[in-house]
Amino acid sequence: MRVALVAGSDAGHAFPAFALAERFTAAGDEATVFTSLDWSPAAHRRGIDLAELPALGAEDADDDTDAGAKLSARAARMAVPLAEQLRTWRADVVVSDVITVAGGWAAQLCGLPWVELSPHPLYLPSRGLPPIGSGLAPGRGVRGRLRDALMRAATAASIRKGLRQRRDARRTIGLGGVNPEPWARLVATLPGLEVPRPDWPADTHIVGPLVWEPTDEVFGRPAGDAPLVVLAPSTAQTGAPDMVGVALDALGASMLGRPVRVVVSGLRQPDDAALARFGNDANAELPTSGLLTSGLGRQDEILPHADLLICGSGHGILAKAMTAGVPVIAVPGGGDQWELATRMERAGAGRVVRPVAAAALADAVRNVLDDPAYARAARVIGDSVADTVDPVAVVRRVFAVASASPRLGSCA
């Protein structure tokens, strides 16, 4: 197959597309990722073919405070030139990130089969769940179900508005007002991070996390046998502010009461002022010199050696931790981070601290390091990867079915 993967520029969406492209290439298919060229050096270093996703940037007239308009109007602007690129590249099938709506629309303009990729748990509304983003477990009993129903009713108007915006945007590019379902959905998470729902959509498959490392560099671990804590600030703009500095305050020996080794892992190097907050207490009785390293390195390599991860609770880093059996202290910001953090905490694999405060973080670190039950729960979530399916096989089946279907047009 010639597979076009479409994803926005955020690491949490581009990286899973890169990981899936590598899967297709290893299986003998051709794959190109349409995304921001900012990722070109990292992608090309790993042998991934990358093309620019057209009209990705915001325009002056865009209203990014309206999420529905941002997704739909921008998708319409991107879909037409993207369809031309798909025709030129002679794509057979499109795999489009769930929030990069232009990928599915461009496929429809070309008459191509398309598959939706969710690089996190399934976030579609459900009649059996509270609204996604609330962080709440499904209600139990009459009162719990009534609570969920009332919350769903409160969000229904926003959902209807978003659907209207999507219909209007589709009509501007000659597509019908009704947005058809994808041929299949890939949900790139661990089953242990999903919440059972009575209305799981047809042809929707949990395929396991699609994690990808933007570097081949390996962290040099601080020497010694003190617990190793990995600190990974969020890559999203909605991450909790100053998480690194406050966490380093909390991890200082004078506040924590014990020494720990710390690796600060991020796409951007924290400033020196933030790093200096680790062990800067002149009255500390326990030294911290040499116990901190920071930079860009392979998280999948360092986490199996870690005793604890402190992170913003984005899906990628959370899935890496669960796969390595590492408990988590989550400091969630906006977006879906609160939802993911509370799911992890309900499963017993860590703690949630919000708002971020040094004393609360230090207390959570002591609690998690002293109780092995958190690590055991993380391993249970990680082991659930055994109950996933192969995403390449799903897409190949879609293409085989579509090839014999009148739904399939030509992108040639």
Side-chain angles (χ1 to χ4, degrees), residues 80-103:
V80 173
L82 177 58
E84 290 301 319
Q85 288 181 294
L86 296 178
R87 293 186 183 100
T88 300
W89 191 70
R90 295 181 294 110
D92 291 320
V93 62
V94 175
V95 178
S96 183
D97 178 83
V98 64
I99 67 168
T100 314
V101 179

Side-chain angles (χ1 to χ4, degrees), residues 314-328:
H315 181 263
I317 187 64
L318 191 63
K320 290 179 189 179
M322 299 297 101
T323 301
V326 178
V328 170

Side-chain angles (χ1 to χ4, degrees), residues 266-334:
L267 293 174
R268 295 174 294 277
Q269 174 73 5
D271 60 51
D272 292 340
L275 296 176
R277 291 167 68 169
F278 179 63
N280 66 349
D281 185 352
N283 298 318
E285 297 179 1
L286 297 172
T288 57
S289 177
L291 297 182
L292 172 69
T293 188
S294 67
L296 177 63
R298 292 189 66 98
Q299 293 174 332
D300 62 346
E301 190 280 332
I302 191 64
L303 281 170
H305 303 280
D307 298 284
L308 174 66
L309 169 70
I310 302 175
C311 67
S313 197
H315 181 263
I317 187 64
L318 191 63
K320 290 179 189 179
M322 299 297 101
T323 301
V326 178
V328 170
I329 293 174
V331 184

Side-chain angles (χ1 to χ4, degrees), residues 178-221:
V178 177
N179 193 33
E181 290 287 293
W183 290 68
R185 289 185 176 89
L186 307 177
V187 182
T189 192
L190 292 160
L193 289 174
E194 266 296 355
V195 178
R197 58 174 70 202
D199 45 6
W200 187 262
D203 222 349
T204 297
H205 311 273
I206 300 179
V207 300
L210 292 170
V211 296
W212 189 82
E213 299 293 336
T215 180
D216 296 322
E217 296 296 320
V218 175
F219 283 108
R221 298 190 293 277

Side-chain angles (χ1 to χ4, degrees), residues 124-132 134 136-141 144-153 195-201 339 343 346:
L124 288 176
S126 168
R127 68 172 185 272
L129 302 179
I132 300 296
S134 68
L136 295 171
R140 296 182 178 181
R145 291 192 294 271
L146 177 60
R147 178 207 67 184
D148 291 353
L150 291 173
M151 293 182 68
R152 290 193 298 270
V195 178
R197 58 174 70 202
D199 45 6
W200 187 262
E339 178 73 31
R343 290 188 185 191
R346 288 199 303 270

